[in-house]
Amino acid sequence: MAGIPLARRLGWLDHPNGRKPHSTPTPMVGGAAMFGGLLTGSLFLDSSPYPMEIILVALTAIVLLGCLDDCRTLSTRIRLFTELLIALLLIQWGGITIRELGNLLGNGSLSLNAWSTPFTVLCFIGTVNALNMSDGMDGLASGQSFVSLFVLFGLALRSGQAEDAAWILLVLAVVLPFLLFNAPLTPGRSALTFMGDAGSKLLGLCLFLFTVSLSQKTEPLIAPVTALWLLAMPLMELFSSILRRLLVRQSPFHADKGHLHHRLQQWGFDKRQIFLLMTGGSLLFATLGALGFLLAVPDYILFYGLLLLFAGYCWYIIRNPVTE
């Protein structure tokens, strides 16, 4: 990748520490490269189901936020406030809102009405930070995102939504080269570059955009609960991390070594095995969610089933704290 030598000269590197398993300073240009590829690819698409001016502003803002955080380590307040502004931009001027939650409780479709905006903001910030928390080892965030996007692409293609499918395919095409550079598919191989916060936030925004757009159409391509299954692994990490930290009176955004990939590493799995296990887990959840939608499994069964999985995972994480 052409930006790697420049990143080394500028000092745009991720240095090893106690929480990070890599052994040498690694350039963090992956996110900027994906952003450049996304902008370039968008020029070749004839049309878009999304308000492109607003989407491009949001993408630019989230990538700049990530780049600044990679270089300067911004405070949590600055990050959350900026993400709030980006979410409001998408809602107020982009029309990207969550209005219906489906039949989650078994007594009819839930409409958010006046709660639509705050709930959408919460989901945006949650999705962006869930992907960010997943980016703790080579290939994890990109691998899990690729799986979710691939399943979304299949659902959009099956429904004849050519515009949506084209944009999802573009993001897949942008993620794949980075995944090949970054994923530990060969034993002993080190990542050439990391995506950094810029890349994980970019992928979080794209996944938020696609899942909300496809689940909130007049004739939805997916049920809202399907989106939860597509993002199950990152969301479980997010909720369990927040709960774990709050129980020991830490900030929900306090970095630690309690994530699933840290635990797998302590159990003796190497980076390649961890990548395959966690990406495979994401594929399993995403496939189950897609099949549930295609087979018309009631929303409330899918929702309560996933809720039980989340509760069981959080219970295990809390009962079995990791040893530093």
Side-chain angles (χ1 to χ4, degrees):
M1 296 178 71
I4 291 178
L6 178 61
R8 293 190 184 279
R9 287 197 297 270
L10 295 175
W12 191 2
L13 305 171
D14 189 22
H15 294 273
N17 61 36
R19 294 182 296 103
K20 300 176 181 181
H22 59 287
S23 57
T24 59
T26 304
M28 292 190 291
V29 297
M34 286 192 289
F35 178 60
L38 196 57
L39 291 183
T40 303
S42 68
L43 299 176
F44 296 92
L45 296 181
D46 294 331
S47 58
S48 170
Y50 317 109
M52 277 313 300
E53 296 84 359
I54 302 302
I55 300 303
L56 289 176
V57 171
L59 285 170
T60 303
I62 204 76
V63 170
L64 285 175
L65 173 66
C67 288
L68 288 172
D69 199 23
D70 288 330
C71 296
R72 303 292 182 185
T73 310
L74 302 175
S75 70
T76 300
R77 289 183 179 180
I78 291 176
R79 293 200 305 269
L80 290 178
F81 180 70
T82 306
E83 289 166 6
L84 169 64
L85 293 180
I86 295 170
L88 292 175
L89 172 72
L90 290 170
I91 294 167
Q92 297 299 324
W93 287 279
I96 309 295
T97 57
I98 302 172
R99 301 175 300 277
E100 302 287 337
L101 296 181
N103 187 17
L104 293 188
L105 304 179
N107 56 0
S109 182
L110 287 174
S111 297
L112 289 171
N113 300 317
W115 292 98
S116 176
T117 293
F119 186 80
T120 305
V121 169
L122 186 63
C123 288
F124 173 81
I125 293 176
T127 303
V128 168
N129 285 283
L131 262 295
N132 184 249
M133 285 186 178
S134 297
D135 190 29
M137 190 174 287
D138 298 354
L140 291 187
S142 54
Q144 292 179 71
S145 298
F146 188 88
V147 163
S148 300
L149 289 164
F150 185 79
V151 174
L152 274 174
F153 173 70
L155 291 170
L157 207 59
R158 178 186 178 276
S159 302
Q161 299 290 329
E163 285 186 338
D164 291 287
W167 279 92
I168 297 171
L169 183 61
L170 172 60
V171 181
L172 279 169
V174 166
V175 174
L176 182 59
F178 173 81
L179 187 57
L180 296 176
F181 275 102
N182 185 256
L185 299 175
T186 304
R189 174 191 173 192
S190 298
L192 294 178
T193 180
F194 293 153
M195 68 167 64
D197 287 349
S200 62
K201 290 179 185 296
L202 169 66
L203 292 177
L205 189 152
C206 289
L207 283 167
F208 168 82
L209 172 66
F210 294 142
T211 52
V212 171
S213 177
L214 297 181
S215 67
Q216 301 298 311
K217 291 179 179 290
T218 305
E219 296 182 5
L221 270 68
I222 62 173
V225 71
T226 307
L228 295 178
W229 281 89
L230 291 172
L231 299 171
M233 288 287 285
L235 289 177
M236 281 197 294
E237 277 291 279
L238 175 70
F239 290 128
S240 65
S241 296
I242 290 174
L243 185 57
R244 183 182 72 245
R245 292 162 185 169
L246 289 176
L247 287 175
V248 294
R249 300 180 182 277
Q250 290 179 338
S251 164
F253 295 93
H254 173 77
D256 58 25
K257 295 183 67 175
H259 294 288
L260 179 58
H261 59 270
H262 290 126
R263 295 168 186 271
L264 291 173
Q265 194 174 31
Q266 283 201 339
W267 294 341
F269 292 96
D270 61 30
K271 289 197 294 185
R272 178 174 177 271
Q273 292 168 331
I274 294 171
F275 169 77
L276 293 174
L277 281 170
M278 294 188 65
T279 305
S282 290
L283 178 60
L284 175 62
F285 284 128
T287 302
L288 288 174
L291 287 175
F293 175 70
L294 294 175
L295 297 175
V297 176
D299 289 353
Y300 61 89
I301 292 179
L302 292 172
F303 177 66
Y304 287 126
L306 191 59
L307 206 60
L308 283 174
L309 285 172
F310 274 39
Y313 180 72
C314 289
W315 177 85
Y316 174 80
I317 292 296
I318 292 167
R319 291 292 300 270
N320 298 273
V322 73
T323 56
E324 296 288 346

